[in-house]
């Protein structure tokens, strides 16, 4: 009906234009050439009608296609059953072992494997070999570490010797800096700008928190004489550093979160504390991570909190008395995740992966039949190891890919762009 009205309007408009042009014709006699010039202004109504019909029909078809795509997207987003049908039958998100690019692994027991940015890295015999997502070698670097702890953020990877003093920072495929520190390294972190925190023990203090810029220059040290530093994290704008500490000197454990101004700490670290949160007694802090610039997410053994603008807010409980939760993580960009197992029948267990936005507290859910053996998180990607299957899920709760294996998966490494499925003799590569 709309198209008919549009077509009718166009034809009436063209007719009126023709009448107007005819009235504009000069009344004096003109030469034959003048009449030809004036006749050029005449419209052929049949030709215009044909052209507009084709144009309108084309626009109409395009609008129908756009509306159809929008409807399918909205149903896909809202309906779990429809989404599962589309993933399995239309989008073909299932992949199988041996159908992917891979890296040959010659000595599994002596290899340390990591994922960061778009790379898979293997540290063996003091050589770090970096591969791209197609399995081709990008770089080789001499790294004098045998028992590594690592963490990555974007294009940065920090590698340290556990309980020793050697540490390296890589940017993409190149060593940005390396250092030998005084004290033994227990925990490390790096933000997306390359700023690093290093927790040291084995000195005259119980803990020392060291902050380095992206060039490896020392910005400050924060000494702790009566408490133990559990974790530290730098805000994405490089303005604040959060420190999680535990005091075990009393009969009950006391966990505290301190936020320091980096600008003030450069002048005097003891005067740099801008906020302190004292957790309830016997609530043990495990990890902290800055998300979305200045929002500090704190993981305890029984609940997860967020500190923003010097206000502490509880986001969710980790309470196994009310929910059967075996895995949870804060290692995502702007979300926290936990799994909840539910007994569907005597022999069947269903699992819901609950993904909670740490700013809005909006919850997305990914459900499946079975239980997970391991969960890995990085950026906006979650990998769920179910044994013979691995589900890769994003923070919308949507399946990215489902990987099926016919043998035991040793381990999974994941970044926001690539995943490595590790077997004893190879690493299969999946682009995310």
């Amino acid at each position: 009906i709309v198209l008919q009205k549009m077509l009718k309007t166009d034809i009436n408009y063209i007719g009126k234009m023709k009448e107007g042009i005819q009235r504009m014709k000069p009344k004096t006699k003109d030469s034959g050439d003048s009449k030809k010039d004036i006749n050029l202004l005449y419209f052929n109504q049949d030709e215009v009608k044909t052209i507009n019909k084709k144009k309108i029909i084309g626009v109409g078809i395009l609008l129908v296609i756009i509306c159809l795509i929008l409807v399918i997207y909205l149903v896909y987003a809202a309906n779990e059953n429809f989404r599962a049908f589309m993933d399995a039958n239309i989008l073909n998100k299932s992949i199988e072992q041996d159908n992917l690019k891979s890296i040959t692994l010659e000595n599994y027991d002596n290899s340390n494997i990591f994922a960061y940015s778009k790379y898979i890295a293997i540290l063996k015999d003091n050589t770090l070999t970096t591969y791209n997502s197609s399995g081709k070698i990008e770089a080789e670097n001499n790294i004098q570490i045998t028992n590594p702890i690592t963490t990555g953020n974007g294009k940065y990877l920090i590698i340290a010797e556990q309980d020793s003093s050697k540490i390296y920072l890589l940017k993409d495929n190149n060593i940005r800096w390396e250092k030998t520190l005084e004290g033994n390294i227990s925990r490390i972190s790096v933000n997306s700008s390359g700023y690093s925190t290093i927790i040291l023990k084995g000195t005259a203090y119980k803990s020392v928190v060291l902050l380095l810029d992206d060039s490896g220059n020392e910005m400050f040290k924060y000494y702790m004489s009566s408490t133990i530093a559990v974790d530290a994290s730098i805000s994405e704008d490089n303005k604040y550093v959060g420190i999680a500490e535990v005091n075990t000197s009393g009969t009950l454990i006391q966990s505290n979160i301190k936020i320091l101004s980096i600008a003030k700490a450069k002048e005097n670290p003891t005067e740099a504390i801008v906020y302190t949160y004292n957790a309830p007694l016997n609530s043990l802090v495990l990890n902290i991570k800055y998300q979305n610039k200045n929002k500090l997410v704190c993981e305890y053994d029984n609940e997860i909190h967020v500190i923003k603008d010097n206000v502490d807010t509880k986001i969710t409980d980790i309470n196994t008395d009310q929910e059967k939760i075996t895995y949870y993580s804060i290692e995502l960009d702007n979300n926290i995740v936990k799994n909840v197992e539910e007994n569907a029948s005597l022999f069947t267990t269903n699992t819901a992966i609950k993904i909670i936005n740490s700013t809005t507290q909006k919850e997305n859910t990914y459900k499946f039949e079975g239980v997970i053996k391991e969960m890995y998180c990085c950026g906006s990607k979650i990998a769920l190891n179910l044994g013979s299957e691995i589900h890769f899920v994003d923070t919308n709760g949507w399946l990215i890919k489902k990987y099926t294996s016919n043998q035991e998966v040793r381990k999974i490494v994941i970044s926001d762009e690539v995943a490595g499925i590790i077997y004893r003799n190879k690493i299969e590569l999946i682009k995310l």
Side-chain angles (χ1 to χ4, degrees), residues 187 224 227-232 242-248 253-258 277-289 296-305 307 312 328 330:
R187 199 75 179 259
M224 304 166 67
T227 57
I228 300 170
V230 174
D231 199 6
I243 299 175
E245 64 177 15
V246 174
N247 189 337
T248 58
I253 294 174
Q254 175 65 61
S255 296
N256 306 314
I257 308 295
K258 292 180 178 177
Y277 172 73
N278 300 317
L281 291 175
N282 260 8
S283 184
L284 179 62
V285 63
L286 304 174
N287 296 295
I288 60 173
K289 177 180 171 61
L296 185 63
V297 183
C298 308
E299 176 188 327
Y300 298 88
D301 61 342
N302 56 354
E303 52 194 24
I304 294 176
H305 289 219
I307 298 174
D312 179 272
Y328 54 96
I330 64 173

Side-chain angles (χ1 to χ4, degrees), residues 171-189:
K171 182 180 180 182
D172 289 322
N173 294 318
N174 302 309
I175 297 175
R176 178 73 172 164
W177 53 257
E178 61 178 280
K179 287 183 175 294
T180 301
L181 304 174
E182 294 182 5
N184 298 322
I185 300 167
S186 63
R187 199 75 179 259
I188 54 177
S189 74

Side-chain angles (χ1 to χ4, degrees), residues 177-338:
W177 53 257
E178 61 178 280
K179 287 183 175 294
T180 301
L181 304 174
E182 294 182 5
N184 298 322
I185 300 167
S186 63
R187 199 75 179 259
I188 54 177
S189 74
V190 62
N191 72 359
S192 59
S193 301
Y195 282 51
S196 308
T197 62
I198 304 161
I199 297 177
L200 299 169
K201 61 182 182 179
T203 67
Y205 297 86
K206 284 193 172 183
S207 294
V208 177
V209 179
L210 171 64
L211 179 67
L212 305 177
D213 67 14
D214 60 330
S215 297
N217 300 313
E218 181 179 319
M219 301 185 72
F220 69 85
K221 284 180 179 176
Y222 183 73
Y223 297 96
M224 304 166 67
S225 58
S226 59
T227 57
I228 300 170
V230 174
D231 199 6
S233 181
I234 309 168
S235 62
E236 294 302 311
D237 58 9
N238 304 323
K239 291 183 177 180
Y240 300 98
V241 57
I243 299 175
E245 64 177 15
V246 174
N247 189 337
T248 58
S249 59
T251 55
L252 298 175
I253 294 174
Q254 175 65 61
S255 296
N256 306 314
I257 308 295
K258 292 180 178 177
I259 296 178
L260 281 66
S261 164
I262 292 177
K264 292 181 179 180
K266 288 179 182 179
E267 303 297 326
N268 185 357
T270 59
E271 300 294 327
I273 299 173
V274 296
Y275 178 76
T276 300
Y277 172 73
N278 300 317
L281 291 175
N282 260 8
S283 184
L284 179 62
V285 63
L286 304 174
N287 296 295
I288 60 173
K289 177 180 171 61
Y290 265 106
Q291 295 182 359
N292 203 13
K293 291 186 178 180
N294 61 351
K295 182 178 55 184
L296 185 63
V297 183
C298 308
E299 176 188 327
Y300 298 88
D301 61 342
N302 56 354
E303 52 194 24
I304 294 176
H305 289 219
V306 169
I307 298 174
K308 184 178 181 181
D309 298 329
N310 294 343
V311 176
D312 179 272
T313 304
K314 186 175 78 170
I315 298 297
T316 187
D317 287 309
I318 307 297
N319 191 335
T320 53
D321 293 335
Q322 298 177 4
E323 297 177 315
K324 187 177 181 181
I325 299 170
T326 53
Y327 294 95
Y328 54 96
S329 175
I330 64 173
E331 298 300 322
L332 292 168
D333 284 341
N334 198 34
N335 294 269
I336 61 178
V337 59
K338 65 179 182 179

Side-chain angles (χ1 to χ4, degrees), residues 64-82:
V64 170
I65 293 173
I66 292 173
C67 290
L68 184 61
I69 292 173
L70 180 60
V71 169
I72 291 174
Y73 175 82
L74 292 174
V75 176
Y76 183 89
N79 190 297
E80 293 181 8
N81 293 329
F82 180 76

